[in-house]
Amino acid sequence: MTRVQAGKIEELRKGFQGEIVLPGDGAYDEARRIWNAMIDKRPAVIARCAATADVVRAVSFARDHGLVLAVRGGGHNIAGSALCDDGLVVDLSRMKAAHVDPARRRATIEGGAILADLDAATQAHGLATPVGINSTTGIAGLTLGGGFGWLSRKYGMTVDNLEGAEVVTAAGQVVRASATDHPDLFWALQGGGGNFGVVTRFDFRLHPVGPNVLSGLIVYAGSEAKRVLQQYRDFVAKSPDELTVWTVLRQAPPLPFLPERVHGKEIVALALIYAGDPKQGEALIAPLRKFGTPVGEHVGVQPYAAWQQAFDPLLTPGARNYWKSHNFATLQDGLFDAIVTALGTLPSPQCEIFIGALGGATMRPAPTATAYSQRDARFVMNVHGRWDDPADDKRGIAWAREFFRASAPFATGGVYVNFLTADETDRVRAAYGPNYARLAQVKRTYDPGNLFRTNQNIEPA
Ligand SMILES: Cc1cc2nc3c(=O)[nH]c(=O)nc-3n(C[C@H](O)[C@H](O)[C@H](O)COP(=O)(O)OP(=O)(O)OC[C@H]3O[C@@H](n4cnc5c(N)ncnc54)[C@H](O)[C@@H]3O)c2cc1C
């Protein structure tokens, strides 16, 4: 920062209800730490906001002093867009309040909440809205990119359940966006990322879920991967929307329900949830146990909120992460061959290949109905490179890139914006697909100076 800007910090502090963290402060290193340990950025100011008024102050301060601005929700974005070097971070991680109106089946939640905050508040009433599968992910970044998880086949993308939002614009105005207020802004928030302002509050539509659901894992040896994947493809094609099954290919963690001989060996796990009467679900999932010879199973009726956290121990913060991702309309045998090769060359025990099954309600809206446009994505694959030692970066990244290349011929060419890494700026247009031009128009209205550009950026038209 220049000396003039440093002198103005006291001005920013005045009346600021949250905390201003600067380089040299005791809290600085913790405040600039995010989920992906590969990201090592040093902001000049971290404004830990406590209320919408703080957000207005911080946004206005960055704009008036020509500072680069980043917005932090849950801090999970793989590209590290929650932070910036030398600029100002609007950090919402203290704004997590949630309110549920069970009679209207609506939830209102602040922009710094994580999925666990929303699940806890809604499940107290046996309600939920579809969000992601790792409970420490931020609601804000997930929603603004589209958002999908265990309930999406039944209830759609997270943005399909968004009813409204409170937004602080680049001009420092607080506006409400919904289907009737600032409808163009509302449409853009439904998949256009953090390009249009800071969302301080989200309003979601809720659905009856659980609180207990049939869910869990059925695990096969990696040697059976191709056969299992082929049967998985046929099974999912006939599944009702209530049933969601994803596949995870990796080395087996030492889970108590897996025999010791399997630990550290390649496996293919079927992760499932039935969002309906567990008895009906039991009958439907029976074929999943006959894809080969399972090496372990952990399936039962458990709280939905617990299943939402089932993958948390494998996705803790602090590791080095490098992702590549494809969308698929169909799963072809050639893809399975590429997967088997990649599974045989995993560069670390933490790397995995995730295939998330969408379809159902996620595919019914038109691609232009919301800014999220990837309605042809029946499957989203995440090549999840992950390790602890920086010395493994080169090998791990090379593995992820090689598998990404080998699997590209079978993909749609689209991509989920929230899975893009920092080096994939050339895929941003593909992520916004046919909606890019309209998004650029909305950007011109609400952020003509591109203040909000530390993201998968849309340039103002
Ligand atoms: C372990 C893990 C599991 C995941 N699983 C899923 C999954 O199951 N389903 C899924 O859909 N996605 C999933 N994701 C991807 C996730 O949706 C993105 O990483 C998303 O960006 C995370 O949001 P965040 O608020 O935590 O991120 P942050 O890094 O805090 O923010 C990311 C970007 O979002 C914008 N942003 C954040 N907060 C705000 C705000 N309040 N107002 C305006 N803009 C804001 C900013 O542009 C910011 O740069 C997963 C990610 C991880 C790391």
Side-chain angles (χ1 to χ4, degrees):
M1 283 178 86
T2 66
R3 204 176 305 164
V4 175
Q5 288 156 346
K8 296 274 183 191
I9 292 288
E10 286 316 308
E11 184 190 306
L12 173 64
R13 263 194 228 278
K14 254 182 249 153
F16 194 85
Q17 299 165 59
E19 187 189 7
I20 302 294
V21 182
L22 304 175
D25 288 351
Y28 182 73
D29 280 333
E30 182 253 315
R32 70 181 188 92
R33 200 173 297 138
I34 56 171
W35 184 80
N36 184 3
M38 266 194 191
I39 308 298
D40 181 21
K41 293 186 187 167
R42 304 189 69 86
V45 187
I46 300 173
R48 289 179 144 173
C49 301
T52 299
D54 284 353
V55 176
V56 172
R57 267 182 105 80
V59 166
S60 304
F61 184 85
R63 184 197 59 233
D64 293 347
H65 295 282
L67 293 176
V68 174
L69 176 78
V71 184
R72 176 187 179 133
H76 263 225
N77 195 276
I78 187 73
S81 55
L83 300 177
C84 55
D85 279 318
D86 301 324
L88 182 146
V89 175
V90 175
D91 180 340
L92 297 184
S93 57
R94 294 197 173 167
M95 293 176 59
K96 290 168 174 278
H99 173 76
V100 175
D101 181 341
R104 288 180 57 242
R105 291 189 178 162
R106 292 286 185 276
T108 296
I109 190 147
E110 286 188 308
I114 60 170
L115 309 192
D117 299 320
L118 184 64
D119 288 337
T122 57
Q123 277 289 280
H125 305 280
L127 299 169
T129 207
V131 287
I133 61 120
N134 172 221
S135 78
T136 60
T137 305
I139 287 286
L142 178 130
T143 303
L144 294 170
F148 64 86
W150 298 121
L151 301 178
S152 293
R153 284 172 50 77
K154 175 77 178 151
Y155 296 117
M157 302 290 295
T158 308
V159 286
D160 298 333
N161 294 277
L162 188 65
E163 291 274 314
E166 179 186 84
V167 189
V168 176
T169 65
Q173 282 173 335
V174 181
V175 302
R176 176 164 167 82
S178 71
T180 47
D181 300 325
H182 296 277
D184 52 344
L185 174 61
F186 183 61
W187 174 85
L189 295 176
Q190 291 175 289
N195 277 285
F196 305 94
V198 184
V199 179
T200 43
R201 233 170 30 224
F202 293 90
D203 300 329
F204 290 110
R205 191 159 57 248
L206 305 175
H207 312 273
V209 173
N212 292 318
V213 291
L214 179 71
S215 51
L217 297 168
I218 297 170
V219 181
Y220 290 94
S223 54
E224 296 203 273
K226 187 165 179 183
R227 242 166 60 106
V228 169
L229 287 168
Q230 285 169 326
Q231 292 171 89
Y232 166 76
R233 169 181 59 201
D234 300 341
F235 180 87
V236 169
K238 288 182 250 144
S239 295
D241 293 352
E242 287 77 12
L243 181 58
T244 297
V245 189
W246 291 17
T247 55
V248 187
L249 299 107
R250 55 171 294 138
Q251 290 174 7
L255 296 169
F257 73 91
L258 292 175
E260 243 173 68
R261 67 181 160 79
V262 175
H263 296 176
K265 302 282 188 322
E266 286 75 33
I267 52 159
V268 47
L270 304 176
L272 66 97
I273 178 171
Y274 184 74
D277 177 358
K279 278 200 200 77
Q280 285 172 9
E282 269 298 353
L284 283 166
I285 67 165
L288 294 173
R289 301 186 174 99
K290 296 182 185 140
F291 287 1
T293 309
V295 294
E297 169 176 333
H298 189 69
V299 174
V301 180
Q302 59 176 321
Y304 167 74
W307 179 240
Q308 279 290 91
Q309 299 176 12
F311 285 88
D312 289 3
L314 296 177
L315 298 169
T316 48
R320 303 177 73 77
N321 292 271
Y322 182 85
W323 290 1
K324 296 295 270 186
S325 178
H326 281 306
N327 286 346
F328 299 102
T330 56
L331 299 179
Q332 299 178 40
D333 280 356
L335 170 67
F336 297 154
D337 292 332
I339 288 176
V340 168
T341 303
L343 184 63
T345 54
L346 290 169
S348 97
Q350 298 182 63
C351 290
E352 58 190 19
I353 299 165
F354 240 96
I355 302 177
L358 295 183
T362 69
M363 296 182 79
R364 290 184 193 124
T368 53
T370 59
Y372 171 81
S373 65
Q374 311 284 320
R375 301 290 180 177
D376 59 346
R378 202 172 281 279
F379 301 92
V380 175
M381 181 174 75
N382 191 2
V383 187
H384 185 180
R386 183 178 162 96
W387 49 89
D388 292 319
D389 188 346
D392 292 333
D393 285 1
K394 205 170 157 199
R395 201 163 59 98
I397 291 171
W399 170 80
R401 285 185 179 155
E402 171 52 28
F403 174 48
F404 172 77
R405 193 197 53 72
S407 47
F410 312 104
T412 62
V415 62
Y416 181 37
V417 72
N418 274 347
F419 285 171
L420 289 176
T421 52
D423 60 8
E424 292 189 306
T425 45
D426 58 330
R427 298 182 84 199
V428 169
R429 279 190 181 244
Y432 295 119
N435 291 332
Y436 191 90
R438 184 174 168 196
L439 284 165
Q441 292 290 344
V442 181
K443 177 82 171 172
R444 187 170 66 180
T445 305
Y446 290 94
D447 184 17
N450 207 0
L451 180 65
F452 299 105
R453 62 180 178 278
T454 311
N455 48 36
Q456 280 70 38
N457 196 230
I458 296 160
E459 284 179 27

